[in-house]
Amino acid sequence: MARYGTATDRKWQQKWEETNLYKFDKDKMDKKLYVLEMFSYPSGSQLHAGHWFNYGPVDSWARMKRMQGYNVFQPMGFDAFGLPAENYAIKTGIHPKDSTDQNIATMETQLKAMGAMFNWENEVVTCRPDYYKWTQWLFLKLYEKGLAYRKNAPVNWCPSCSTVLANEQVVEGHCERCDSEVTKKNLTQWFLKITDYADELLEGLDGLDWPEKTKAMQKHWIGKSTGSELTFKVVNSDLEFNTFTTRIDTLFGVTYVVLAPENELVDKLTTPENKEAVEAYKDASAKQSDIERQSISREKTGVFTGSYAINPINGREIPIWVGDYVLNTYGTGAVMAVPAHDDRDFAFATKYNLPIERVIEGGEGLPFTEFGPLVNSGKFDGLIGEEAKDAIVEELAKDGLGKKQVNYRLRDWLISRQRYWGAPIPMIHCKKCGTVPVPMENLPVELPYDVDFAPDGKSPLAKSEEFMNTTCPKCGGHAHRDPDTLDTFVCSSFYYLRYPDNMNSEKAFDTDLINQMLPVDKYVGGPEHACMHLLYARFITKALRDMGLLNFDEPFKSLTHQGLILGPDGQKMSKSKGNTISPDDYIKTYGSDVFRMYLMFGFGYVDGGAWSDDGIKSIGKFVDRIERTLDNCIEVIKGENSKSTIDKAEKELNFWRHTAIKGVTEDSEKLQFNTAIARMMEFTNALNKYLGEEVKNGDFLKEVIVDYVKLLAPFAPHFSEEQWENLGMNYSVFNTEWPTFDPSALVKDEVEIAIQINGKIKAKINVSTSANDEEIKETALNDAHVKAALEGKTVRKVIVIKGRLVNIVAN
Ligand code: ANZ
Ligand code: ZN
């Protein structure tokens, strides 16, 4: 009878729960290890292979750490608000709360069947009032500090879904959900001032043990750009506007300027004969997302306003155009165009027949040196790069027409959502007092259950009179609640702070406790959150630190992104392709340990790859083999020990034992589980080889398999507990110490050396590692195979390459 499978899983899960084995010990803070996996979104009611790949291997790592003496904290919860549940509700009529609760219940059962060391008593569920009370608290704290503000801003709007879309939900200008064209709509929205932390968010990246690619993505997203802001006056007018440029050294090559269609100067600058064309152009570009407008390959378009501007350096008059490759949300919403030195300007100028003129200076990459005549830069001729930039900006500064300027690509975080399934924004709008925060003691502002959330262009909560009508906390008069809900990324921006103190009903968290518990020591999750969740969480940590509520700067010291498990066809798993793998089915057959071990052995952890049924089958066979091997070992141990000495065979087994201890420990530490498990396979082979010996040492063997089961325990926790019990050891293997390797056991007494005769390997010999060249040579020449091969030949030369090879030249 196999000692693995669901019955074994259940048995040990129950025992672990009864004995509260994985309880975090608050008195052992010096050894705390906060291991965090990104919490799940409770959708589709199924735990999929991706969840397993995130949680299973990390749990194995955490188990090893526990055995190494760490006091592991590994919580789990649900990121439970959000669009999918609401969209599902719109389609099926099942209330988001009901479907979410149902999905959570199912996923909890599935997660428990995984048998990970989750600290369930610390669970958080973001859609429950005991959690979102603190999401609202966080918003109010940010508001108190001036980090939350309200402004009118253009947002992506899907007319058919009647809702705001995040930038990420706009795919090539169309709604991700219904494919209709997305437009812009001006709405009054709440924003969080993440831009206040732009520099710190950038600088902090250096000290983080994060994937380089993720750090690079955040860096790019923050997009710090050092340049200058220049003033262009409008010809025959009092109007002027600023441009932001990183290449002021190309100022003499400016042949026109371009304003973003949304730039408020456009209407004032447009002459009557150009009005119609400009209006039409503005309408067309309102439909484009910023992301699209920035696309390099996209054809550049624009219209002339009819007005001219003055180049501040040389007084030259240049046409003012409108073009949507200029974003209104970056820099000043206007650019000086230098088609000889900028790709986009070049494409634009070529299309509209605008002059292209090259400056001599420039220094940094001159992409179009073959284009356009050289223009003279007057007294700046001969200066290049930074020198030229400094000289020109200094000159302009004298007349107040230029200054150095730093710009960021990062925008403030728009957090209002005109959706139902989220945390209500705890703000009250009073005719007399304006916007008034809900007093902290009145939190949570509960999300009402009975709301018509069918999309019709308004926030669903706005339709609930009961919710909307309230009294003003300041004047006591009649007032309205804010009808919007918070972006779900607000919920997940602080969940790691709430976990350790999830039952606290007085505060979001106890500062002293959290300062001890955090930062998170190891954070693991998908790479898709690089510029959203991972950036928001860093911002919120810094903001709370500045409020005196935390004493650390960064929430996640070390981060890993697990790879993606693909379907058997090598494609991303999807229901429509029918290539999904249902973990539950496999667990029924193999139990959770084999499933987990296959994931850990079959894939590089950060690489992922295609699922293979043969792969899991062979891991099943490996576990069977482990079981047979250990049974045979136990038989030897229980029998009369034939010898008590440690000889050659024991030394060899000991070598593999310590090789495995060293390898498994080092590889697992780096989350390289596939090679760690390969070591266990080597170790298993060595045990079997030893079992083939005629006389064995039972006491020694027992020592060896005690280490064997300990090393196996993190990868196959239930099965290993079973083996541990079978060995007659005390519960639990996870309360024992992780083995350490003995370096002296890794020094081999003998090495195998190949013997080549005239370049061909003819034999292999064993020699003592302490043998000198002369001794090795002699052993080689005395070997029977070598003697036979040298029959009738004369040895001309013997070269010994220590530890590896003996090369004999003979003819
Ligand atoms: C003249 C120039 C010449 C430029 C040249 C570049 C190369 P980063 O590095 O991303 O900050 N720019 C400024 N504001 C813009 C806006 N709102 N929309 C689109 N483009 C804008 O890029 C700064 C450069 O992007 C600026 O420097 C400006 O073009 C353009 F050979 O000015 B440059
Ligand atoms: Zn009032």
Side-chain angles (χ1 to χ4, degrees):
M1 230 284 279
R3 284 191 287 272
Y4 64 89
T6 46
T8 307
D9 292 352
R10 208 78 15 92
K11 168 181 164 184
W12 291 102
Q13 283 159 18
Q14 244 166 42
K15 180 118 190 196
W16 294 334
E17 202 180 320
E18 274 163 28
T19 55
N20 210 348
L21 188 67
Y22 305 123
K23 191 176 162 57
F24 176 76
D25 186 351
K26 284 192 176 163
D27 297 327
K28 249 180 71 186
M29 279 297 183
D30 54 323
K31 293 295 277 180
K32 79 90 191 172
L33 190 81
Y34 191 162
V35 182
L36 184 63
E37 294 111 275
M38 289 181 183
F39 61 173
S40 318
Y41 185 82
S43 69
S45 77
Q46 280 294 320
L47 210 59
H48 53 68
H51 290 121
W52 263 90
F53 198 47
N54 186 350
Y55 304 154
V58 177
D59 177 65
S60 295
W61 181 81
R63 285 178 181 275
M64 175 181 80
K65 298 311 263 181
R66 176 194 165 94
M67 292 170 79
Q68 288 173 344
Y70 288 93
N71 181 19
V72 173
F73 181 62
Q74 188 182 215
M76 184 43 72
F78 294 94
D79 190 11
F81 271 139
L83 265 181
E86 191 167 340
N87 290 342
Y88 181 70
I90 292 163
K91 224 164 54 190
T92 63
I94 301 172
H95 194 282
K97 179 177 183 298
D98 300 338
S99 65
T100 303
D101 282 346
Q102 178 59 52
N103 289 347
I104 289 175
T106 310
M107 285 175 82
E108 274 170 355
T109 311
Q110 290 174 314
L111 282 164
K112 283 177 183 165
M114 183 184 286
M117 304 194 291
F118 293 132
N119 297 94
W120 281 109
E121 63 281 9
N122 291 80
E123 182 180 18
V124 301
V125 178
T126 61
C127 68
R128 304 207 168 133
D130 64 347
Y131 184 88
Y132 69 70
K133 172 178 179 173
W134 304 110
T135 312
Q136 294 171 338
W137 165 87
L138 176 65
F139 175 85
L140 291 177
K141 290 303 275 184
L142 293 164
Y143 179 76
E144 257 175 39
K145 286 281 155 192
L147 290 170
Y149 66 94
R150 208 164 172 240
K151 77 165 182 205
N152 193 271
V155 292
N156 301 310
W157 182 261
C158 172
S160 127
C161 298
S162 305
T163 182
V164 161
L165 301 174
N167 272 344
E168 301 74 41
Q169 294 168 315
V170 182
V171 182
E172 289 172 3
H174 294 256
C175 171
E176 162 199 64
R177 201 149 59 94
C178 73
D179 210 33
S180 39
E181 232 177 287
V182 172
T183 60
K184 285 272 153 71
K185 186 169 173 170
N186 282 311
L187 280 177
T188 302
Q189 309 276 293
W190 285 99
F191 289 84
L192 296 183
K193 252 192 192 167
I194 189 171
T195 51
D196 272 12
Y197 287 85
D199 252 325
E200 206 198 328
L201 287 167
L202 188 65
E203 275 152 25
L205 287 171
D206 284 342
L208 295 178
D209 170 25
W210 282 26
E212 284 308 321
K213 197 174 156 200
T214 306
K215 291 205 267 186
M217 281 169 75
Q218 283 206 359
K219 195 174 164 188
H220 177 77
W221 189 262
I222 296 166
K224 183 175 181 169
S225 172
T226 311
S228 341
E229 209 168 285
L230 314 180
T231 304
F232 284 73
K233 296 199 153 93
V234 178
V235 176
N236 294 331
S237 150
D238 297 337
L239 297 171
E240 57 179 43
F241 58 89
N242 289 348
T243 62
F244 173 73
T245 179
T246 48
R247 293 295 308 277
I248 190 175
D249 55 323
T250 63
L251 184 54
F252 286 88
V254 174
T255 54
Y256 63 101
V257 288
V258 190
L259 302 184
E262 303 85 355
N263 190 314
E264 43 182 43
L265 268 189
V266 169
D267 288 345
K268 294 180 192 152
L269 289 176
T270 305
T271 55
E273 58 273 25
N274 291 296
K275 197 124 219 130
E276 202 179 319
V278 168
E279 283 307 316
Y281 187 74
K282 279 168 61 179
D283 285 349
S285 40
K287 292 182 184 137
Q288 312 293 325
S289 75
D290 281 7
I291 294 166
E292 266 183 292
R293 281 167 54 171
Q294 282 171 286
S295 155
I296 300 175
S297 56
R298 187 166 163 267
E299 192 182 342
K300 304 288 170 284
T301 58
V303 281
F304 179 44
T305 61
S307 295
Y308 291 81
I310 301 165
N311 185 334
I313 199 75
N314 57 11
R316 181 173 169 187
E317 296 186 1
I318 46 179
I320 304 173
W321 282 67
V322 176
D324 68 5
Y325 75 99
V326 176
L327 302 177
N328 204 39
T329 47
Y330 187 66
T332 62
V335 305
M336 58 177 236
V338 193
H341 298 289
D342 181 273
D343 299 23
R344 295 164 302 177
D345 299 344
F346 180 75
F348 192 87
T350 313
K351 181 165 174 188
Y352 295 109
N353 236 337
L354 291 157
I356 299 171
E357 290 173 12
R358 176 158 66 92
V359 293
I360 303 161
E361 298 77 15
E364 303 158 18
L366 299 172
F368 303 109
T369 40
E370 65 270 34
F371 302 112
L374 285 174
V375 294
N376 194 291
S377 299
K379 65 177 182 184
F380 305 103
D381 266 0
L383 294 177
I384 58 161
E386 292 310 311
E387 234 185 317
K389 290 181 188 175
D390 286 348
I392 296 175
V393 82
E394 240 170 69
E395 176 79 12
L396 292 178
K398 284 183 201 158
D399 302 324
L401 294 175
K403 61 172 204 272
K404 288 194 176 176
Q405 175 72 35
V406 174
N407 255 323
Y408 297 90
R409 201 157 288 286
L410 185 68
R411 294 280 150 267
D412 277 342
W413 174 14
L414 194 168
I415 51 161
S416 309
R417 293 289 179 274
Q418 292 68 48
R419 302 300 301 229
Y420 165 68
W421 191 233
I425 295 179
M427 283 290 178
I428 290 168
H429 304 289
C430 168
K431 282 222 171 77
K432 216 164 103 196
C433 314
T435 303
V436 184
V438 172
M440 294 283 189
E441 62 271 20
N442 292 353
L443 297 182
V445 176
E446 287 215 34
L447 184 69
Y449 183 88
D450 274 321
V451 171
D452 171 16
F453 42 78
D456 68 354
K458 274 205 195 139
S459 298
L461 289 178
K463 289 178 265 177
S464 165
E465 298 220 345
E466 211 186 310
F467 175 80
M468 289 301 285
N469 291 323
T470 186
T471 48
C472 170
K474 255 195 196 159
C475 70
H478 182 255
H480 282 139
R481 290 193 187 279
D482 198 296
D484 290 350
T485 52
L486 291 167
D487 177 9
T488 55
F489 281 113
V490 180
C491 311
S492 57
S493 70
F494 77 105
Y495 78 112
Y496 50 92
L497 301 172
R498 179 69 182 164
Y499 266 142
D501 207 11
N502 68 328
M503 301 302 242
N504 197 330
S505 55
E506 302 291 310
K507 296 185 219 169
F509 51 81
D510 178 76
T511 293
D512 282 345
L513 174 67
I514 298 308
N515 284 343
Q516 290 179 68
M517 290 297 292
L518 275 97
V520 168
D521 296 282
K522 185 93 211 154
Y523 196 24
V524 182
E528 63 277 12
H529 297 291
C531 293
M532 308 216 283
H533 163 61
L534 289 168
L535 193 61
Y536 299 149
R538 294 183 61 220
F539 157 54
I540 292 300
T541 296
K542 289 170 196 297
L544 290 170
R545 175 206 59 198
D546 288 346
M547 295 173 200
L549 294 171
L550 301 174
N551 71 357
F552 49 93
D553 306 315
E554 292 284 346
F556 317 124
K557 266 202 292 214
S558 171
L559 171 75
T560 302
H561 299 306
Q562 80 279 11
L564 200 62
I565 301 297
L566 305 168
D569 54 0
Q571 303 292 309
K572 210 176 158 182
M573 287 189 201
S574 85
K575 282 199 184 109
S576 61
K577 282 197 210 112
N579 64 350
T580 55
I581 292 299
S582 153
D584 288 13
D585 293 346
Y586 288 92
I587 286 151
K588 243 176 250 156
T589 315
Y590 293 105
S592 83
D593 289 345
V594 169
F595 190 79
R596 177 198 297 225
M597 238 167 121
Y598 165 59
L599 288 175
M600 295 174 76
F601 179 67
F603 307 87
Y605 192 57
V606 297
D607 306 323
W611 176 271
S612 147
D613 270 347
D614 287 344
I616 191 164
K617 231 178 259 167
S618 78
I619 287 291
K621 284 198 188 123
F622 173 51
V623 178
D624 284 335
R625 179 156 192 252
I626 295 176
E627 185 159 354
R628 279 197 309 274
T629 306
L630 291 176
D631 281 351
N632 292 338
C633 289
I634 289 171
E635 227 164 85
V636 171
I637 294 162
K638 283 192 183 144
E640 288 279 295
N641 296 355
S642 324
K643 71 173 182 185
S644 55
T645 51
I646 301 287
D647 302 319
K648 195 166 163 256
E650 284 76 27
K651 278 196 176 148
E652 188 180 339
L653 178 58
N654 207 39
F655 169 83
W656 288 109
R657 166 195 185 186
H658 288 281
T659 300
I661 296 174
K662 182 171 188 285
V664 169
T665 309
E666 290 174 359
D667 294 353
S668 301
E669 186 60 59
K670 292 180 276 185
L671 308 183
Q672 284 169 15
F673 305 114
N674 48 355
T675 51
I677 291 173
R679 312 274 183 177
M680 291 308 289
M681 291 175 171
E682 278 174 0
F683 192 4
T684 313
N685 290 341
L687 273 175
N688 278 296
K689 186 171 175 211
Y690 184 73
L691 286 170
E693 293 287 323
E694 234 161 85
V695 275
K696 296 170 272 263
N697 180 335
D699 294 336
F700 169 73
L701 185 59
K702 172 145 188 192
E703 226 182 78
V704 175
I705 62 172
V706 160
D707 280 353
Y708 183 97
V709 176
K710 285 182 179 184
L711 290 183
L712 184 71
F715 308 132
H718 310 85
F719 175 71
S720 301
E721 286 280 39
E722 193 69 26
Q723 296 300 338
W724 193 247
E725 186 180 65
N726 211 34
L727 271 176
M729 308 297 283
N730 289 336
Y731 174 79
S732 144
V733 67
F734 296 105
N735 282 339
T736 67
E737 254 174 62
W738 188 252
T740 48
F741 76 94
D742 171 7
S744 72
L746 298 181
V747 182
K748 275 193 163 175
D749 296 349
E750 276 193 347
V751 277
E752 194 182 62
I753 287 185
I755 301 170
Q756 277 188 357
I757 298 174
N758 295 334
K760 283 204 183 100
I761 290 179
K762 292 286 179 189
K764 283 181 178 166
I765 54 167
N766 286 320
V767 295
S768 153
T769 45
S770 57
N772 61 28
D773 285 5
E774 225 17 73
E775 287 163 339
I776 293 172
K777 189 170 151 185
E778 204 176 302
T779 318
L781 292 173
N782 280 321
D783 179 81
H785 296 279
V786 175
K787 273 188 173 161
L790 288 175
E791 188 73 54
K793 288 188 177 130
T794 316
V795 174
R796 300 288 170 193
K797 209 176 185 181
V798 181
I799 305 148
V800 177
I801 299 164
K802 215 170 164 26
R804 283 199 296 144
L805 193 74
V806 177
N807 208 346
I808 301 171
V809 182
N811 55 19

